[in-house]
């Protein structure tokens, strides 16, 4: 299976989700022209209504590549009116980037989306954006994430410069400085004036990790301290288990920090294989184990999470949980009791569609052909009908404000 990261970007409206997404896709080589939110050219916003309103309301899935990994960014609406869509998109992603405004820190909407992601057990990293704004305060933002969302939020960055003078970050995991100038990043030793504070923060991070990770704890006392490799591996494991959330910072609008965010997505967020099995109901015969792990050789099981467009332009976005979906095949829409032919399978990229012959477990693709499958439908092999179970019991969103 190709190395895959299916991720969502979660944010309060205006925190910079669209800008961060657009910059990620640009850097990952998918956008050849920089879109700006205000002139309506941002590529994840397919829908004219979105352009008009300036908010993202449709959960389009956009694929790109970074460091040999296929990233699919599932656009997760941050607007409260569209919570059904948020629920469906949270169900199909494996990990998420939560974007915060460096001035406002945690806002009420970021809190409600965060709590929903908790219910789906979605591992997360946090990106404190807009570090160039007057009043931006990374430490205060991290403190508000700790106080309101996750007590074990660990800053892996130390900002270099402040507000309009924000120039880059010290990467505390690899102990190096990354400075951006006109969108180009230079890697260099940590500036002398930040060395002491970087060392202290690294030490605090090592302690916090060692406290929660037994192999890291052993090394912490034996060395003393942790190697960069052990620290990165432990951060990944603790992120996947939800015990910690690493916090990065940047200013997407000024092209600062987005490469490090992409690196962190690959480094810390889960692949489909890292995720817990998905439960399903077997509709024919008795299953020995009614859970699905992403195996391309099993019978097909896929979930429709978004339908965009109408008529021949209708795109049915699916997440494949098991098996292989091939172009030209027919699949059973279990709920509707209908079979549908898959005329084409496409990966939607920022500025184009790429047609593929097949898609496998773990993939997110758009299907052209199904005429009636609705969001929430299970698609499966006609001779092996299964129904995906609702993933979690509905619970009220708890606010700790
Ligand atoms: P969304 O509502 O979360 O999708 O936020 P947008 O990406 O639309 O951004 C909201 C506003 O913040 C826009 O005017 C952006 O230009 C601006 N913005 C986004 N990122 C940054 C940043 O890093 N620094 C500053 N100063 N402004 C930003």
């Amino acid at each position: 299976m190709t190395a895959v990261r299916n991720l969502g970007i979660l944010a309060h409206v205006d925190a910079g989700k669209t800008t961060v997404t657009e910059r990620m896709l640009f850097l990952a080589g998918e956008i050849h022209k920089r879109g700006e939110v205000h002139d309506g050219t941002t590529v994840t916003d397919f829908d004219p209504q979105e352009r008009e309103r300036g908010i993202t309301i449709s959960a389009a899935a956009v694929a790109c590549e970074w460091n040999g990994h296929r990233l699919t960014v599932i656009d997760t609406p941050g607007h409260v009116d569209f919570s059904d869509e948020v629920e469906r998109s949270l169900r199909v992603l494996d990990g998420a980037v939560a974007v915060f405004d460096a001035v406002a820190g945690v806002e009420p909407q970021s809190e409600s989306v965060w709590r929903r992601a908790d219910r789906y057990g979605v591992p997360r990293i946090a990106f404190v954006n807009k570090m160039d704004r007057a009043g931006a305060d990374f430490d205060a933002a991290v403190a508000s994430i700790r106080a309101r969302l996750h007590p074990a939020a660990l800053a892996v960055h130390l900002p270099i410069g402040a507000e309009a003078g924000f120039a880059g970050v010290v990467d505390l995991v690899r102990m190096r400085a990354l400075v951006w100038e006109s969108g180009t990043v230079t890697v260099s030793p940590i500036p002398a004036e930040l060395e002491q504070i970087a060392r202290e923060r690294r030490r605090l991070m090592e302690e916090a990790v060692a406290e929660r990770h037994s192999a890291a704890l052993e090394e912490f006392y034996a060395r003393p301290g942790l190697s960069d490799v052990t620290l990165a591996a432990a951060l990944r494991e603790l992120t996947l288990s939800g015990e910690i959330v690493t916090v990065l910072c940047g200013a997407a609008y000024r092209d600062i920090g987005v490469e490090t965010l992409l690196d962190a997505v690959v480094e810390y967020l889960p692949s489909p294989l890292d995720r817990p099995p998905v439960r399903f109901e077997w509709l024919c015969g008795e299953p020995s184990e009614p859970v699905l792990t992403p195996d391309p050789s099993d019978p097909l099981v896929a979930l429709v999470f978004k339908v965009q467009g109408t008529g021949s332009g209708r795109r049915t976005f699916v997440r494949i949980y098991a098996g292989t979906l091939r172009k030209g095949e027919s699949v059973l829409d279990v709920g509707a009791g209908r079979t549908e032919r898959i005329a084409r399978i496409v990966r939607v990229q920022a500025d184009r569609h790429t047609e593929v012959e097949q898609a496998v477990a773990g993939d997110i693709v758009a299907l052209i052909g199904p005429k009636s499958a609705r969001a929430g439908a299970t698609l499966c092999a006609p001779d092996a009908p299964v129904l995906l179970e609702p993933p979690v019991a509905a619970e009220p969103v708890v606010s700790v404000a």
Side-chain angles (χ1 to χ4, degrees):
M1 190 187 289
T2 318
V4 166
R5 299 286 181 273
N6 296 315
L7 68 140
I9 316 277
L10 313 175
H12 189 282
V13 166
D14 232 35
K17 185 180 70 173
T18 310
T19 310
V20 169
T21 307
E22 191 273 331
R23 292 298 188 249
M24 286 171 81
L25 296 171
F26 174 78
L27 288 166
E30 290 300 337
I31 303 171
H32 308 292
K33 178 169 77 73
R34 291 176 189 223
E36 296 295 342
V37 177
H38 50 81
D39 68 10
T41 57
T42 306
V43 287
T44 42
D45 289 353
F46 284 114
D47 183 334
Q49 196 193 351
E50 288 174 28
R51 288 186 194 143
E52 213 167 279
R53 296 177 59 181
I55 57 163
T56 308
I57 58 167
S58 68
V62 185
C64 61
E65 273 196 26
W66 186 255
N67 280 351
H69 290 68
R70 189 171 61 241
L71 273 45
T72 301
V73 182
I74 298 126
D75 194 12
T76 313
H79 215 257
V80 278
D81 301 354
F82 305 102
S83 60
D84 274 1
E85 251 186 81
V86 176
E87 299 277 341
R88 276 200 301 269
S89 50
L90 283 172
R91 185 175 175 181
V92 299
L93 49 82
D94 296 314
V97 174
V99 178
F100 299 93
D101 178 323
V103 180
V106 174
E107 295 169 271
Q109 246 177 57
S110 21
E111 208 170 312
S112 61
V113 180
W114 185 279
R115 299 291 164 212
R116 284 203 185 97
D118 278 345
R119 280 169 44 210
Y120 287 82
V122 176
R124 261 150 288 171
I125 56 180
F127 184 72
V128 174
N129 187 37
K130 303 198 188 184
M131 284 295 297
D132 61 320
R133 276 187 70 195
D137 185 337
F138 184 53
D139 289 347
V142 176
S144 85
I145 295 171
R146 272 193 198 127
R148 295 178 64 174
L149 302 178
H150 202 298
L154 299 182
V156 294
H157 281 171
L158 176 66
I160 299 176
E163 302 180 339
F166 175 65
V169 298
V170 173
D171 165 3
L172 297 171
V173 179
R174 303 214 155 68
M175 290 304 268
R176 59 191 186 169
L178 301 155
V179 175
W180 279 261
E181 206 173 343
S182 313
T184 305
V185 60
T186 312
V187 181
S188 54
I190 299 172
E193 70 278 12
L194 291 177
E195 238 176 70
Q196 179 64 20
I197 177 165
R199 267 205 299 275
E200 277 163 19
R201 296 213 174 178
R202 160 75 178 227
R203 182 77 186 173
L204 285 174
M205 180 170 42
E206 288 181 7
E207 278 173 15
V209 165
E211 238 172 58
R212 295 169 172 82
H213 191 280
S214 53
L217 185 65
E218 265 179 45
E219 185 178 311
F220 184 79
Y221 287 116
R223 268 173 65 101
L226 293 180
S227 69
D228 296 0
V229 173
T230 306
L231 179 59
L235 285 171
R236 175 176 173 80
E237 281 174 32
L238 293 170
T239 304
L240 296 192
S241 65
E243 283 175 71
I244 62 153
V245 168
T246 60
V247 191
L248 298 82
C249 67
Y253 189 68
R254 290 183 46 207
D255 276 338
I256 301 180
V258 182
E259 292 94 332
T260 52
L261 178 59
L262 283 159
D263 287 343
V265 163
V266 167
E267 185 150 26
Y268 303 128
L269 292 185
S271 90
L273 294 169
D274 296 318
R275 298 289 289 144
V278 172
R279 301 198 70 81
F280 73 94
E281 193 184 331
W282 193 261
L283 301 178
C284 176
E286 272 305 304
S288 50
E289 181 78 355
V291 293
L292 286 172
T293 45
D295 187 336
S297 59
D298 280 345
L300 174 75
V301 184
L303 175 74
V304 176
F305 67 94
K306 175 81 186 172
V307 178
Q308 282 182 322
T310 50
S312 58
R314 190 179 150 100
R315 290 183 303 213
T316 304
F317 284 86
V318 295
R319 157 104 196 205
I320 304 177
Y321 287 98
T324 299
L325 185 65
R326 292 179 189 83
K327 179 180 164 178
E329 271 180 1
S330 288
V331 297
L332 175 65
D333 174 348
V334 177
R338 251 191 310 262
T339 49
E340 297 259 28
R341 188 170 172 276
I342 310 302
R344 290 160 62 209
I345 304 172
V346 295
R347 281 190 209 295
V348 177
Q349 286 151 302
D351 54 1
R352 62 187 183 277
H353 287 178
T354 302
E355 202 162 331
V356 293
E357 291 299 306
Q358 61 174 48
V360 298
D363 275 348
I364 287 181
V365 287
L367 312 179
I368 317 262
K371 290 186 180 60
S372 55
R374 292 212 300 237
T378 304
L379 302 182
C380 58
D383 57 352
V386 302
L387 196 56
L388 283 162
E389 285 186 0
V392 278
E395 284 166 24
V397 175
V398 181
S399 170
V400 295

